[in-house]
Amino acid sequence: YAMLLSLIFLIVLVAAVVGFVFRHEIKTNFESNLNLALRDYNVTADRHSEAVDTIQRTLHCCGVQNYSDWERTEYFSQRGIPQSCCKNQDDCSEEDLKDPSKAKLKVFVDGCFFLVTSTMESKMSVVAGISFGIACFQLVGIILACCLSQYITNNQYEMV
């Protein structure tokens, strides 16, 4: 049991170190994937499009760097900026969303990349604290399992 807990502890430790070391690559990959999701955005029930809509509605942002990122997409040429960028859903018409100068007043102007990464970084202390707490419980479990094993081994030799 102690060996199994030690293995799990080492896997979690390696994952944390790798995540910390490669955090810049993770950000770069996220940004490129967000750009791809915008480029391939469509109205159908596509997972990536739903994720983009959810991010934009939840964080009150639009596009990757700002709302003008949508102007370079195929979706914009057909339908304008998506409804998920609107500050007020009732006040956004399709004609307004097709005109960037009118849309600027009706949509969130901040980009999602900065907001997502800053939100993740602000929550990192909570994640690190929880991970540290779990690691401490695992270490206590490893120590107690070793103590129990030692106790059982010592009692068996005394009984013989």
Side-chain angles (χ1 to χ4, degrees), residues 65-77:
Q65 299 301 327
N66 59 36
Y67 76 100
S68 64
D69 292 336
W70 283 104
E71 293 174 32
R72 297 184 293 274
T73 64
E74 186 179 320
Y75 182 82
F76 181 81
S77 61

Side-chain angles (χ1 to χ4, degrees), residues 23-46:
R23 67 186 181 279
H24 298 296
E25 286 81 3
I26 292 169
K27 282 184 182 181
T28 304
N29 283 339
F30 175 71
E31 185 176 17
S32 64
N33 285 331
L34 191 55
N35 278 317
L36 283 173
L38 255 66
R39 189 192 72 197
D40 298 336
Y41 183 86
N42 57 23
V43 186
T44 61
D46 169 79

Side-chain angles (χ1 to χ4, degrees), residues 32 66 86 88 90 103 117 136:
S32 64
N66 59 36
C86 292
N88 184 358
D90 300 330
T117 54
C136 288

